[in-house]
């Protein structure tokens, strides 16, 4: 009897989702059963992009601490990983991909199963000077390396007593985290954002709390200002950022404008994309309408369990889960990704910022009649040393009382409290059910009534008091 043919899995993208899929498939299938070939256009694999601001700011000592597994480690585990190799075309009908290594030759590689994990690209608006030296993104380890090299070259300015200026364009998660990193490196930091308040992943009233904290750290936070130009000096380097209202000096410019799914290959191949440009998959992470193609990570849209719609959320937590599920499925097993509730957490100095579920505007756009409750509580028992104020905002649906969303801004101990709300959202709990949750209590950790439960009690009262 003839031996079974060895099948080939091709993975496009060597970071979280792609290499998690490759590693899981290798654990489940032997090399003589499944050959695994992975392509990565950059110089690094399996790293934490979320850790880059903390590396720049000095919390993480070295770049390699952000790398979970090197190319050599992947190869030692039986994955044919080809670095500095870009995939330039997908031929789905022929079940093959075209690649280019550096500036060298192009070649075709066939596949039996294909995983797309192409990630996301940072937004870079077509403004004058946007590509000038001195303007940096922070999406990849290559970006972080380039920025840190630039900052270290400017260290001599400190010794000479000259003030250094940094402008951060965008006040979302990356912008806020990079602003703190630059403050810690001794820069005078200006943050520019066209929105009403920083952190548009929060409602404006909660974003205002973040703004107050940023200003308290010495940042010059300018909201409601759209950048019009990056102005350059005689050598073509960035020297200032211009808006409709003024000009701000800059020795370095950092872009924190968010990301967009990197799906140009998928689009050119005719694969289905959602409203945000991310690939659409079924719960097994198989691309809709395709038998042998899966996708995961920052290049896909995910199902939102609260809104019932798909959305793009670029987070390593989701990417790693996608990869595990894809790896199991391509290896002949079975797994599904149920969806998300939109949980995220961040910090600026000692201020912790968290959200999950819907914002007010999102609830309104979905036609959900709701009440909004905001409470101020403390992180510990009020009499216990270190108790700090915490603001909790909660949205609940009228009539049903179903929890719709929670936002938390506070000091130490505030951010991870959002996980209680994330579980409640996933379980489709009502605020009344939340008031009965058996949460841990001791004075060093919480008041008798945890702040999340205080908000739930108030939301329940507001639901009951509101006329239907």
């Amino acid at each position: 009897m003839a031996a079974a043919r060895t099948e080939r899995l091709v993975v496009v993208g060597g970071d979280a989702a792609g290499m998690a899929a490759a590693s899981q498939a290798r654990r489940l299938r032997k090399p003589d059963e499944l050959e695994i070939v992975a392509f990565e256009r950059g110089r690094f694999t399996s790293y934490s992009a979320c850790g880059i601001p903390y590396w720049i700011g000095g919390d993480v000592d070295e770049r390699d601490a952000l790398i979970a597994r090197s190319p050599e480690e992947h190869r030692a585990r039986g994955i044919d990983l080809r670095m500095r190799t870009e995939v330039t075309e997908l031929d789905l009908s022929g079940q093959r991909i075209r690649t280019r290594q550096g500036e060298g030759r192009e070649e075709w590689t066939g596949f039996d199963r294909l995983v797309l994990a192409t990630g996301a690209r940072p937004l870079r608006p077509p403004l004058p000077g946007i590509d000038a030296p001195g303007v940096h993104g922070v999406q990849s380890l290559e970006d972080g390396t380039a920025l840190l090299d630039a900052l270290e070259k400017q260290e001599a300015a400190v010794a000479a007593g000259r003030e250094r200026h940094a402008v951060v364009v965008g006040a979302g998660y990356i912008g806020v985290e990079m602003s703190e990193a630059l403050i810690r490196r001794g820069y005078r930091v200006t943050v520019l954002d066209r929105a009403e308040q920083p952190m548009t992943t929060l409602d404006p009233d909660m974003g205002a709390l973040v703004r107050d904290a940023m200003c308290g750290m010495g940042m010059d936070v300018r909201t409601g200002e759209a950048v019009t130009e990056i102005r350059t000096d005689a050598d073509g380097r960035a020297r200032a950022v211009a808006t409709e209202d003024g000009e701000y000096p800059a020795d370095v410019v950092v872009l924190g404008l968010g990301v967009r799914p990197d799906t140009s290959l998928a689009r050119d191949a005719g694969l289905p994309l959602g409203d945000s440009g991310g690939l659409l998959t079924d719960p097994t992470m198989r691309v809709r309408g395709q038998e042998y193609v899966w996708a995961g990570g920052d290049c896909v849209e995910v199902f939102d369990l609260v809104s019932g719609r798909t959305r793009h959320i670029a987070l390593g937590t989701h990417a790693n889960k996608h990869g595990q599920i894809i790896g199991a499925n391509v290896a002949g097993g079975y797994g599904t990704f149920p969806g998300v509730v939109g949980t995220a957490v961040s910090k600026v100095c000692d201020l912790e910022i968290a959200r999950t579920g819907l914002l007010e505007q999102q609830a309104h756009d979905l036609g959900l009649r709701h009440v909004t409750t905001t409470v101020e509580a403390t992180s510990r028992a009020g009499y216990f040393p270190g108790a700090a104020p915490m603001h909790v905002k909660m949205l609940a649906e009228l009539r049903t009382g179903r929890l719709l969303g929670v936002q938390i801004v506070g000091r130490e101990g505030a951010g991870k409290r959002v996980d209680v709300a994330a579980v409640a959202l996933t379980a489709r709990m009502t605020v009344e059910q939340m008031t009965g949750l058996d949460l841990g209590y001791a004075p060093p950790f919480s008041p008798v009534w945890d702040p999340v439960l205080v908000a739930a009690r108030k939301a329940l009262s507001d639901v009951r008091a509101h006329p239907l």
Side-chain angles (χ1 to χ4, degrees):
M1 185 173 66
R5 183 178 70 88
T6 300
E7 296 183 319
R8 178 184 289 158
L9 167 65
V10 166
V11 178
V12 183
D15 201 3
M19 298 318 295
S23 298
Q24 177 73 340
R26 174 52 68 231
R27 281 191 286 270
L28 298 175
R29 296 284 296 277
K30 297 176 182 178
D32 61 349
E33 298 173 331
L34 183 68
E35 176 191 7
I36 303 175
V37 184
F39 297 93
E40 168 55 43
R41 64 188 172 199
R43 296 189 295 123
F44 304 98
T45 59
S46 302
Y47 61 87
S48 171
C50 299
I52 293 174
Y54 306 105
W55 169 43
I56 300 296
D59 293 301
V60 178
D61 291 333
E62 59 182 24
R63 180 186 65 198
D64 287 355
L66 301 179
I67 300 174
R69 191 168 290 174
S70 68
E72 293 75 20
E73 290 173 308
H74 283 300
R75 293 181 187 123
R77 287 166 169 80
I79 298 169
D80 180 2
L81 176 56
R82 305 178 189 181
M83 302 297 293
R84 309 295 293 272
T85 304
E86 183 173 10
V87 176
T88 60
E89 184 180 349
L90 308 179
D91 176 9
L92 299 181
S93 61
Q95 290 191 222
R96 59 179 188 164
I97 64 166
R98 182 159 62 181
T99 61
R100 180 174 61 239
Q101 188 170 29
E103 300 299 324
R105 74 182 192 282
E106 295 190 351
E107 63 180 14
W108 290 95
T109 301
F111 64 83
D112 296 286
R113 297 176 178 86
L114 175 66
V115 174
L116 300 177
T118 47
R121 286 186 179 274
L123 294 174
R124 206 175 184 97
L127 298 173
I130 195 72
D131 294 318
V135 180
H136 297 267
V138 284
Q139 177 70 9
S140 67
L141 275 191
E142 285 95 338
D143 294 337
T145 300
L147 174 59
L148 194 57
D149 288 347
L151 298 179
E152 289 176 346
K153 288 177 182 177
Q154 294 179 12
E155 294 292 338
V158 177
R162 184 174 71 83
E163 201 169 54
R164 296 176 299 163
H165 295 266
V167 174
V168 177
V169 182
Y173 288 107
I174 292 297
V176 167
E177 291 166 357
M178 285 305 306
S179 297
E180 177 186 349
L182 292 164
I183 282 279
R184 294 178 64 181
R185 295 190 71 90
Y187 283 78
R188 288 185 63 86
V189 175
T190 301
V191 183
L192 303 174
D193 198 294
R194 68 195 312 167
E196 178 185 348
Q197 296 290 355
M199 302 293 290
T200 55
T201 52
L202 303 176
D203 286 326
D205 56 332
M206 300 295 279
L209 300 174
V210 179
R211 180 195 183 112
D212 291 344
M214 295 171 71
C215 292
M217 293 168 52
M219 299 178 192
D220 182 10
V221 182
R222 304 286 179 134
T223 53
E225 291 196 36
V227 172
T228 57
E229 180 184 1
I230 310 294
R231 293 182 177 161
T232 56
D233 59 19
D235 296 325
R237 292 190 60 83
R239 64 169 181 82
V241 178
T243 72
E244 298 163 340
D245 300 314
E247 178 180 291
Y248 304 93
D251 296 292
V252 64
V253 179
V254 175
L255 303 179
L257 295 169
V259 297
R260 179 170 296 161
D262 187 358
T263 50
S264 56
L265 282 172
R267 183 184 62 247
D268 291 345
L271 294 175
L273 306 180
D275 292 340
S276 66
L279 275 157
L280 297 176
T281 69
D282 66 19
T284 69
M285 305 307 300
R286 194 191 306 261
V287 175
R288 294 182 189 176
Q290 299 293 317
E291 187 175 359
Y292 302 113
V293 184
W294 287 260
D298 294 354
C299 66
V300 306
E301 294 190 7
V302 292
F303 182 71
D304 187 314
L305 297 170
V306 186
S307 70
R309 300 181 179 181
T310 62
R311 58 186 298 200
H312 180 243
I313 301 179
L315 279 177
T317 52
H318 304 326
N320 278 286
K321 292 171 188 173
H322 294 167
Q324 291 283 316
I325 291 161
I326 292 169
N329 289 330
V330 299
Y334 184 74
T336 61
F337 184 73
V340 303
V341 293
T343 308
V345 64
S346 186
K347 65 180 283 292
V348 51
C349 281
D350 64 343
L351 187 76
E352 300 182 2
I353 308 155
R355 59 74 48 90
T356 189
L358 303 179
L359 304 183
E360 283 194 77
Q361 187 61 53
Q362 292 169 332
H364 176 77
D365 292 344
L366 290 166
L368 295 172
R369 297 179 64 230
H370 64 279
V371 297
T372 301
T373 296
T374 303
V375 301
E376 184 174 350
T378 56
S379 56
R380 303 173 179 177
Y383 56 81
F384 198 90
M390 181 188 313
H391 291 81
V392 181
K393 183 172 184 177
M394 186 170 288
L395 278 66
E397 187 177 27
L398 283 175
R399 190 178 63 81
T400 67
R402 176 172 67 106
L403 179 67
L404 295 178
V406 173
Q407 300 162 56
I408 303 175
V409 176
R411 305 293 167 176
E412 183 182 0
K416 287 296 284 180
R417 274 183 162 89
V418 79
D419 289 342
V420 173
V423 172
L425 281 168
T426 303
R428 297 183 64 85
M429 292 180 70
T430 66
V431 289
E432 182 174 15
Q433 290 171 325
M434 289 183 67
T435 63
L437 288 173
D438 182 14
L439 303 185
Y441 161 70
F445 303 107
S446 171
V448 172
W449 280 93
D450 187 89
V452 173
L453 300 190
V454 173
R457 290 179 66 189
K458 181 65 165 60
L460 174 59
S461 177
D462 290 345
V463 167
R464 288 174 172 172
H466 200 286
L468 294 178

